[in-house]
Amino acid sequence: MSDVILEKVTYRYGGSAAADSVSLHVPSGELFALLGPSGSGKTTILRLIAGFIAPQAGRIFIGGDEVQHVPVHRRNIGFVFQNYALFPHMTVQQNIAFGLESQRAPRTIVEERVAEMLALVQLTGYEQRRPAQLSGGQQQRVALARALATQPRVLLLDEPLAALDRKLRTEMQVELRQLQQRLGITTIFVTHDQEEAMTLADRIAVLRAGQVKQVGAPLDVYEQPQNAFVADFLGMSNIITGSVTGAHNGVVQLAAGSTTLAAMSRLPRQRGEVISAVVRPERVQLHLQAPVGWQGNQVRGFITHISHVGSSITYHLTTADSAVPLLAFEQHGLRTPPLRVGQNVVATWDAGHMMVLDEERL
């Protein structure tokens, strides 16, 4: 068992909390992402787990062992740094063998493990090359192989793909995920890239100013953000603020300007309460006329801007009273003729796709 548990872990730099009473549980074998903007505390949390720094409060467990006072070399952790930190004067073989030799492993074991790691990361035949003779993707594989050679209980990755170009980063995401699944090793990685977290992780923790704002499976966090920060940070979103005019069985009616909308709420709401709700742009459908018999949310407006991104089109809409500005996504080629700026449209979406935010402030 190699699960990782943090219990109310705190670490401050001066008066600023990089980890503010953080509690997390990463089950054995899970690929877990720490996601957040710069300064959110994600690398600090990774360093706390590794043992590079010690928490000022709270406890850390790895595989059931309390480790916050255990030195780095006794935690059996594999760590891959953002810049890979390969030794430039060493060959690939020597880099991978470094940890094993530091542990005074027998030569035969070192040779076997190095060969095994080279095969695992598909670098057999590159043993005598030095880091400067490798591509960025190959260097990343060497860093992974070195981290895995000592058979760690937990693998920690600090923005492992940040130095790669977009195409190679996408390819390495697939390779990294397949490698982690094949080994079944508990893996925690840091990223500020929402797409990377959504692609790789079993679960993600979204961080802000040293606090965990939400934890869950990527799709759950994306579809059901609990606060405005998560909704705004994780993908594009429509956040609409209004006052409650009614509530029944978890469905809340909110008035935004002259428009009344329905949304799902996890918490009970009172009439007159000011709330915010989120609906993702891909859930918004655009029509030239109001759909006959439609019972869901409906907003009349006009297109103020159109942007083309890859295979999709983003429409920017506003209503007559400007109370409900909206973004809507469509795939290219699905509409003939295409919509144009200034055109009047009707935007619709189901109440089940609109969630009231538990915390409204960004």
Side-chain angles (χ1 to χ4, degrees):
M1 184 176 70
S2 57
D3 57 334
V4 177
I5 299 174
L6 280 69
E7 290 184 354
K8 297 183 178 179
V9 170
T10 296
Y11 189 87
R12 294 180 177 276
Y13 294 99
S16 176
D20 189 0
S21 193
V22 171
S23 293
L24 290 170
H25 180 200
V26 182
S28 181
E30 186 171 72
L31 182 55
F32 189 86
L34 298 171
L35 173 67
S38 298
S40 61
K42 50 192 187 295
T43 295
T44 296
I45 293 172
L46 206 70
R47 290 168 61 82
L48 286 163
I49 296 169
F52 297 140
I53 54 178
Q56 292 147 354
R59 301 193 297 172
I60 301 173
F61 298 85
I62 298 177
D65 300 323
E66 192 168 345
V67 298
Q68 67 268 13
H69 300 303
V70 176
V72 177
H73 66 277
R74 291 179 53 199
R75 295 195 188 189
N76 195 15
I77 293 289
F79 200 105
V80 176
F81 297 90
Q82 182 174 344
N83 63 357
Y84 311 141
L86 298 177
F87 300 111
H89 63 286
M90 292 184 180
T91 64
V92 167
Q93 185 178 44
Q94 291 168 335
N95 266 284
I96 296 173
F98 180 80
L100 293 165
E101 291 174 344
S102 298
Q103 295 177 350
R104 301 186 183 278
R107 180 178 295 276
T108 54
I109 298 297
V110 173
E111 291 175 352
E112 289 175 5
R113 288 293 294 166
V114 170
E116 182 183 342
M117 290 299 100
L118 285 166
L120 184 69
V121 298
Q122 301 178 33
L123 284 178
T124 301
Y126 288 75
E127 292 87 343
Q128 300 308 312
R129 294 196 187 185
R130 299 187 188 276
Q133 298 173 302
L134 303 175
S135 68
Q138 290 168 339
Q139 290 181 34
Q140 195 255 12
R141 292 181 191 177
V142 174
L144 273 173
R146 183 178 62 183
L148 292 169
T150 57
Q151 297 180 312
R153 291 191 293 180
V154 176
L155 178 63
L156 304 178
L157 309 171
D158 188 3
E159 305 241 23
L161 308 179
L164 306 179
D165 61 63
R166 184 173 181 82
K167 183 176 183 296
L168 182 55
R169 186 164 67 246
T170 301
E171 293 173 357
M172 290 304 299
Q173 286 173 359
V174 176
E175 288 192 21
L176 180 58
R177 180 58 174 163
Q178 291 176 339
L179 178 63
Q180 188 272 338
Q181 288 179 321
R182 188 157 64 249
L183 296 175
I185 185 171
T186 306
T187 303
I188 303 173
F189 75 99
V190 159
T191 183
H192 64 273
D193 187 322
Q194 301 97 320
E195 183 179 328
E196 184 169 282
M198 296 284 289
T199 300
L200 283 174
D202 295 309
R203 288 189 308 141
I204 61 177
V206 184
L207 302 171
R208 183 191 189 195
Q211 295 182 336
V212 177
K213 306 303 292 184
Q214 188 169 349
V215 179
L219 188 59
D220 291 340
V221 175
Y222 180 81
E223 293 281 7
Q224 302 182 47
Q226 294 177 1
N227 52 74
F229 174 76
V230 173
D232 186 66
F233 182 75
L234 198 64
M236 299 182 72
S237 58
N238 295 301
I239 299 177
I240 300 168
T241 299
S243 58
V244 176
T245 59
H248 182 67
N249 289 338
V251 180
V252 172
Q253 303 293 324
L254 70 149
S258 59
T259 303
T260 299
L261 302 169
M264 308 302 295
S265 179
R266 286 173 287 264
L267 303 175
R269 300 292 177 173
Q270 302 298 318
R271 184 181 294 271
E273 182 180 356
V274 176
I275 62 173
S276 294
V278 60
V279 59
R280 296 293 185 181
E282 62 269 22
R283 297 296 189 180
V284 178
Q285 304 294 316
L286 301 182
H287 314 268
L288 298 180
Q289 302 291 334
V292 176
W294 175 252
Q295 300 297 314
N297 290 314
Q298 179 173 300
V299 175
R300 292 183 177 273
F302 59 95
I303 298 172
T304 57
H305 181 71
I306 299 174
S307 56
H308 300 264
V309 182
S311 62
S312 67
I313 305 171
T314 302
Y315 294 101
H316 299 247
L317 286 76
T318 190
T319 52
D321 58 10
S322 301
V324 188
L326 286 174
L327 296 176
F329 292 162
E330 282 189 358
Q331 293 296 308
H332 275 293
L334 294 184
R335 185 188 297 271
T336 304
L339 298 174
R340 63 184 186 279
V341 172
Q343 191 165 6
N344 291 318
V345 293
V346 178
T348 64
W349 65 92
D350 191 274
H353 294 146
M354 190 173 186
M355 296 297 302
V356 175
L357 302 171
D358 299 344
E359 303 172 26
E360 280 74 49
R361 295 182 180 178
L362 283 172

